[in-house]
Structures are given as structure tokens and as C-alpha cells.
Amino acid sequence: MEFKISYVIIWQFYMKNIGRKEESERVMNKMKTRCQVLYNYRYLIKQLVTKDIKLKYRRSFLGYVWSVLNPLMVMVVMYLVFSKMFRFNIDNYSAYLIIGQTLFTFMTEATNQAIFSITGNGPLLKKVYVPKYVFTLSKVTSSLVNLVFSLGAMIIVFVITKVQFSWAMLFFPVILMEVYIFSLGLGLFLAEAAVFFRDIQYIYNVLTTAWMYLTPIFYPMEQLPESVQKAIKIFNPMYQYITQFRTISLHQTLPAAGDVVYGFAIAFVFLIVGSWAFIRKQDDFILYI
């Protein structure tokens, strides 16, 4: 009897582990298939990104120069308002301001573009088969290209305000990758939600306005109560990314390893949740667009 019970326990343990192994293999095979599909459509993504960038500056006299001029002009206005009227005591306020402004603008632009990535391509999706996430990915990627152009404005401000350039700035791409992954995950979630609930665009505009004021873009973090500071540090991903960028630029040192790990962890959590929500409902998109 004891032998039989032991045999049953061993058999259940064995089958349980075999089941886990098979489930793990199934998930890995799915991921490999999706990565292969993404690779196969790389030229389409490139064309969509190119189209978005060209359309943004079509019939504009200055064209791509606006990618540099626009953040500079916004920064000057915000600088005059917050440094002269509110008088925040921040060293090199111009550089401090443009860093926060540039990264937050990228996130809002990428996610706002992502909201319309599926509904705006309805006629194409009804005619031919294309992986639906390609459109959201292309919108976020085109915003990343615009961000790279905007870095020109940031460099100009750094030169004028005599920010010391250092080897730590080679770490910039890592931080940009954090923001990109986070924006892509949030963009996938919003794109899926907008198909079934069109009012999401208006709600999101209100949320991003509140989000901006809860991010230390134009004011020092020390202005806030300690309880609010702790909440922002934990629950506001943009605070993490902007602070890392400022640490490199204004303090000429690398951000703490824990902050980088935490930033990537948040980004991948959003990517996983956004991808799961998107893939779960993508077959129903055609019924609502």
C-alpha cells in the first residue's frame, strides 16, 4: 500500500513537471514564431515609419528643422514662465527643463499616435492580412526617430549653458530604450482599448495632463511633500527615466544600477501587459474598425 501511494506521488510529480515543460516549450515556440513574423515584416515597418515622418513635415517650409526648433521654442517659453515668474532655484535650469520636456513629449507623442494606429488603418486591415501590432510598433518607432532629431535641440542647450560632456553620456541609448519599451507597451494597450472604446483618446489626454504635472519636468522634486515624492518615485515611470537622463547630463555620472533595473522592469511589465491585451483581442478588431 505504501509502495502504491509513493508510486502515485512520484507519477503525479513527474507528469506535473512534464506538463510544465511542455507549456514552457509551447510559449517559447509562440515567441519564436512572433519574432520571425516581425522579422519578415521589417521592410513594411520601415516603410510605415518613413511615411509617418514624411507626412509630419509635408508642405512645411522648414521641414525636419522643426524637430529642433519646436522643443527649443517650447523650452524658452517654459523657461521664461517658471524661472522668472515662479523662480525655482535649480542649477542650469534650461538643461534641467529641456531634458524633462523632451522625454515626456516623446512618450505622449508615441502613445497618442499609437491610440489611432489600428482604427486609422481599418481600410488596409480589411483588405490584406498584416500583423496588426505592426501599425502600433511603427507609430512608436517613428516617434523615436523624431526624438532623435529633438536631441539636437538638447545638445544646443547643453552647449549654450556649458554642460560638461562626459563618457557617461554614452549611456543615453540605454535610457532611451527604457522609455521606448515602456511607450510601446502602453501604446499597445491603448491601441487595443481604442478599438472598442473610442472615448479613450479624450480620457487619455486628461490623464497625460495630470501625469505631466505629477512629473518633475519644470519644478524640483523637493517642492512636493515627502509622501507625494515617494508615490511619484514608485508609481511614475517617467520620473525614473527623466531622473536617469539628468543624472548623466547634469552630474556627469551613471545612474544607480538599481534605478536602471527598476526602469527596465517597469518597461517590460508594461510591454508584457500591453502585448497580452493586444493579442488577446486582435482577432476581434476587424468587427469594430
Side-chain angles (χ1 to χ4, degrees):
M1 187 68 179
E2 289 181 2
F3 174 77
K4 189 175 287 187
I5 293 173
S6 299
Y7 178 78
V8 170
I9 293 173
I10 293 171
W11 176 253
Q12 288 177 345
F13 178 79
Y14 176 76
M15 291 304 295
K16 188 177 180 181
N17 280 275
I18 288 293
R20 285 179 179 175
K21 185 178 179 182
E22 289 178 351
E23 179 66 20
S24 176
E25 288 178 353
R26 187 175 66 84
V27 172
M28 289 300 294
N29 288 333
K30 266 190 175 182
M31 290 179 63
K32 287 180 181 178
T33 302
R34 288 187 179 127
C35 288
Q36 183 62 45
V37 171
L38 180 61
Y39 180 77
N40 292 339
Y41 282 90
R42 63 192 184 280
Y43 295 113
L44 174 60
I45 295 171
K46 181 180 178 182
Q47 289 299 319
L48 289 172
V49 171
T50 304
K51 183 198 76 171
D52 288 340
I53 295 171
K54 287 181 178 179
L55 284 176
K56 182 175 182 179
Y57 299 105
R58 185 177 60 178
R59 296 177 182 175
S60 170
F61 179 73
L62 294 177
Y64 297 111
V65 177
W66 279 114
S67 294
V68 177
L69 282 181
N70 189 59
L72 276 178
M73 293 166 68
V74 173
M75 187 275 295
V76 168
V77 172
M78 295 179 73
Y79 175 83
L80 293 175
V81 171
F82 293 106
S83 68
K84 302 302 181 184
M85 295 176 63
F86 292 94
R87 298 183 180 278
F88 292 130
N89 186 24
I90 298 176
D91 292 335
N92 204 340
Y93 186 67
S94 299
Y96 179 93
L97 181 60
I98 199 168
I99 290 170
Q101 171 201 328
T102 301
L103 292 185
F104 197 87
T105 299
F106 160 68
M107 187 279 296
T108 53
E109 178 187 324
T111 50
N112 274 300
Q113 291 286 332
I115 288 177
F116 304 100
S117 60
I118 302 300
T119 55
N121 288 284
L124 179 58
L125 288 171
K126 290 178 180 179
K127 291 179 181 178
V128 296
Y129 171 76
V130 179
K132 299 170 184 65
Y133 59 81
V134 163
F135 296 101
T136 307
L137 178 63
S138 67
K139 291 294 184 183
V140 178
T141 304
S142 63
S143 295
L144 179 65
V145 175
N146 289 328
L147 170 63
V148 173
F149 290 147
S150 299
L151 292 179
M154 189 182 296
I155 292 172
I156 291 172
V157 172
F158 285 178
V159 172
I160 293 174
T161 58
K162 299 179 180 179
V163 170
Q164 183 180 347
F165 289 84
S166 68
W167 61 269
M169 290 184 176
L170 296 175
F171 200 74
F172 279 163
V174 177
I175 302 173
L176 297 183
M177 185 56 63
E178 291 181 62
V179 190
Y180 175 77
I181 295 171
F182 168 75
S183 301
L184 178 59
L186 181 56
L188 286 167
F189 179 82
L190 292 170
E192 176 267 333
V195 174
F196 306 101
F197 186 56
R198 302 299 171 92
D199 292 343
I200 195 72
Q201 57 183 302
Y202 306 111
I203 297 172
Y204 186 66
N205 285 336
V206 175
L207 290 176
T208 49
T209 301
W211 193 352
M212 180 185 70
Y213 287 112
L214 288 172
T215 306
I217 296 173
F218 46 81
Y219 61 83
M221 188 72 157
E222 293 72 22
Q223 292 282 114
L224 302 175
E226 286 190 13
S227 58
V228 178
Q229 290 185 40
K230 289 180 180 178
I232 289 175
K233 289 177 181 178
I234 296 172
F235 300 110
N236 189 345
M238 291 309 299
Y239 166 79
Q240 295 291 335
Y241 307 136
I242 291 171
T243 300
Q244 289 177 39
F245 215 97
R246 284 171 175 162
T247 299
I248 293 174
S249 304
L250 305 179
H251 303 290
Q252 293 79 47
T253 185
L254 292 175
D259 292 340
V260 177
V261 171
Y262 186 62
F264 269 113
I266 295 174
F268 279 112
V269 166
F270 271 83
L271 181 61
I272 292 168
V273 172
S275 300
W276 173 79
F278 190 95
I279 293 170
R280 185 173 62 95
K281 288 290 188 178
Q282 64 178 349
D283 292 336
D284 297 331
F285 289 173
I286 199 71
L287 304 174
Y288 293 87
I289 56 178

